[in-house]
Amino acid sequence: MKLSKQFLYSLYSFKRVSAFRMLKVGKPIGYLFFLTLLTMIPVLLGVLLGTRSTASIGALPLPVELIILYVISTSIKFIDVSILAFIGLGINAYLKRNIQYRHTWALSAYAITIPTLLLAIVENVGFIITGDYVTYMALSTIILYAILRYIPKPKHRST
């Protein structure tokens, strides 16, 4: 499945996203790189047009600074997804679904799409939100819960 379709489904179809748990681990990882790049486009345009500056890192050229910013941003996304996947295990137990951490990790990668885009828009417009990370994780948790609800409960085997 193409990244663009994964992106669109993660915006509106939680039921379809719940099936993404079966994808190989490379798909959600690639999706996180794509999502980070997508949210960095306004920063990149602002730097290129001169309306925004990056924090200068010594005497490094601008392309190197942008690559470092991308790597750091992507690393933060991976940490966020890992934390959310751990929270997803608790939601999984509450909903009595039978999925593993790797499944909640994959689903968490898609659950952060809407909060990531909202946070990127808010930051690029210039608003400052107190507790934005808490809001981001709370919204991501709600979306992950909505996705996990679409996973079928395990069938009970009769003996």
Side-chain angles (χ1 to χ4, degrees):
M1 179 177 295
K2 293 182 181 180
L3 287 174
S4 58
K5 281 190 175 187
Q6 292 173 17
F7 175 73
L8 290 175
Y9 289 142
S10 65
L11 291 176
Y12 71 89
S13 180
F14 298 148
K15 184 174 184 177
R16 178 96 34 133
V17 170
S18 72
F20 291 173
R21 72 188 183 280
M22 303 310 254
L23 295 174
K24 293 184 180 185
V25 73
K27 291 284 187 178
I29 289 172
Y31 181 76
L32 284 179
F33 281 105
F34 168 75
L35 184 62
T36 305
L37 183 64
L38 188 66
T39 56
M40 284 190 59
I41 289 174
V43 174
L44 180 63
L45 289 175
V47 169
L48 293 176
L49 297 175
T51 60
R52 188 177 196 152
S53 64
T54 61
S56 184
I57 308 172
L60 294 177
L62 183 62
V64 175
E65 286 184 20
L66 290 173
I67 290 171
I68 291 171
L69 179 64
Y70 177 70
V71 169
I72 291 170
S73 298
T74 305
S75 300
I76 291 170
K77 287 290 170 225
F78 274 89
I79 292 168
D80 291 346
V81 168
S82 298
I83 292 169
L84 187 60
F86 183 73
I87 294 168
L89 288 177
I91 297 170
N92 175 45
Y94 173 75
L95 293 174
K96 296 178 177 58
R97 303 302 197 260
N98 189 20
I99 60 173
Q100 300 170 347
Y101 179 80
R102 65 186 173 107
H103 297 129
T104 59
W105 196 95
L107 295 176
S108 296
Y110 298 100
I112 66 165
T113 301
I114 294 172
T116 298
L117 291 178
L118 288 175
L119 191 61
I121 290 169
V122 166
E123 286 178 353
N124 285 303
V125 169
F127 291 125
I128 298 173
I129 300 175
T130 305
D132 57 350
Y133 185 75
V134 173
T135 305
Y136 170 82
M137 287 304 284
L139 186 55
S140 298
T141 302
I142 292 167
I143 293 170
L144 182 60
Y145 174 81
I147 292 169
L148 290 173
R149 281 190 17 227
Y150 284 106
I151 296 174
K153 289 185 178 182
K155 303 219 188 286
H156 295 288
R157 296 181 181 178
S158 58
T159 55

